[in-house]
Amino acid sequence: MIGIFDSGVGGLTVVRAIAEKIPGYDMVYFGDTAHTPYGTKSADTVIGYTIRNIEFLLHQGAKVIIIACNTASSVASARVLEQFAFPIFEVITPAVDHALTASTNLNIGIMGTRATISSGIYEKKIMENQPTARIHSVACPLLVPLVEEGWLKKRETAMIVKKYLQPLKIRQIDTLILGCTHYPLLKKVIQRKIGQHVTLIDSSICISERIKKFLSDNRDIDLQLGQNGYLSLFVSDVTDQFKKIAEMTLKTHITFECVKI
């Protein structure tokens, strides 16, 4: 079973991408809706949440873990990789690799939560590979709450997206990393506001491609994963919008269980 967690509903974009890229694998998802958004929390708090979430997924039978949260990936990955002896994947490295391949002039924009942008993790990874790259980052703290509220097509959301992206448009980026797994749910409005000439890097798609390659290269682990197409969904708090947005994201009827961990 593949275990996936996020601070809320956004990580379901990773569930969707994996189901499309490598269909049939059993998955268990935990959305920490009681503590969303992670992007406004301290690093120590996010690390604590991340460790707890991974332990929960392992208890459910997960053999591979995906941190489907850019904030947790940026501040907690090093810690959990030291602590757990299971394959654990974060969503930042695959997105960076894809962005560097996609960019024609290495003028790259990044949008993410305050915690992700403050960590500087994207800039660090990009510069390690391409020291001449020009990188422009913008924190977008309102977008996760808007997604969690289901305001995907509201005029106010489009106005806020436009406001956040204006500094990146001025710098004429050619590639934009969606540095939060909530953001693919706003992909249409982001593309419209940044311009069709800019390539969007969707970390949910990037991580699904990375997982596919990993399982192809590690058949011993692949054989430990159930392939009956089961999906178990857990949340830490029931919100009015979770079921609606989850069904819109996954394009199917869902059931989920609320757990206190």
Side-chain angles (χ1 to χ4, degrees):
M1 185 177 292
I2 299 172
I4 304 165
F5 79 86
D6 186 28
S7 63
V9 72
L12 289 174
T13 59
V14 175
V15 173
R16 179 180 65 191
I18 289 177
E20 292 173 352
K21 183 65 63 173
I22 45 174
Y25 283 90
D26 296 346
M27 288 184 275
V28 54
Y29 180 82
F30 177 66
D32 193 10
T33 47
H35 299 110
T36 194
Y38 280 9
T40 59
K41 308 294 193 301
S42 70
D44 285 345
T45 297
V46 173
I47 289 170
Y49 291 162
T50 300
I51 291 171
R52 180 205 61 184
N53 297 344
I54 291 173
E55 289 174 341
F56 173 77
L57 292 173
L58 294 175
H59 184 71
Q60 298 303 312
K63 304 297 183 184
V64 173
I65 300 291
I66 300 174
I67 305 175
C69 172
N70 279 258
T71 299
S73 293
S74 64
V75 303
S77 291
R79 173 72 175 273
V80 298
L81 287 172
E82 293 175 354
Q83 182 165 337
F84 296 97
F86 287 81
I88 298 177
F89 294 85
E90 40 83 11
V91 292
I92 293 173
T93 303
V96 166
D97 292 344
H98 193 177
L100 290 172
T101 300
S103 180
T104 56
N105 60 19
L106 294 179
N107 194 15
I108 299 171
I110 305 160
M111 58 189 302
T113 66
R114 278 201 184 104
T116 297
I117 298 303
S118 295
S119 74
I121 188 66
Y122 275 103
E123 291 88 342
K124 178 181 177 182
K125 287 183 176 291
I126 290 172
M127 295 303 289
E128 285 174 351
N129 289 275
Q130 287 289 350
T132 61
R134 289 169 291 165
I135 308 166
H136 314 284
S137 303
V138 60
C140 307
L142 294 177
L143 296 189
V144 169
L146 288 169
V147 170
E148 293 289 335
E149 283 297 318
W151 282 36
L152 305 182
K153 297 181 180 180
K154 295 282 189 177
R155 182 173 64 90
E156 293 85 350
T157 300
M159 292 172 61
I160 291 169
V161 168
K162 180 180 179 180
K163 180 72 172 179
Y164 282 146
L165 293 179
Q166 188 59 30
L168 301 182
K169 288 195 71 171
I170 292 173
R171 289 169 174 82
Q172 298 183 322
I173 62 169
D174 76 334
T175 304
L176 175 60
I177 297 174
L178 305 183
C180 175
T181 48
H182 283 71
Y183 296 173
L185 295 172
L186 297 171
K187 188 184 287 187
K188 288 184 179 180
V189 67
I190 291 171
Q191 187 75 78
R192 189 166 69 249
K193 297 303 181 183
I194 196 63
Q196 295 298 321
H197 63 286
V198 176
T199 300
L200 299 188
I201 305 300
D202 181 340
S203 58
S204 66
I205 295 174
C206 300
I207 188 61
S208 68
E209 293 172 347
R210 183 65 56 90
I211 294 296
K212 180 178 180 179
K213 185 178 188 306
F214 172 78
L215 294 178
S216 176
D217 294 341
N218 296 271
R219 296 301 295 171
D220 56 327
I221 296 176
D222 180 65
L223 293 173
Q224 298 178 41
L225 304 180
Q227 298 190 39
N228 299 297
Y230 295 143
L231 173 61
S232 300
L233 297 174
F234 296 90
V235 295
S236 55
D237 187 34
V238 177
T239 64
D240 293 337
Q241 292 296 331
F242 181 85
K243 190 172 191 295
K244 176 182 177 181
I245 301 173
E247 290 186 341
M248 180 189 69
T249 303
L250 300 178
K251 296 181 173 58
T252 187
H253 175 73
I254 66 160
T255 58
F256 60 93
E257 182 179 346
C258 185
V259 294
K260 303 299 181 183
I261 64 172

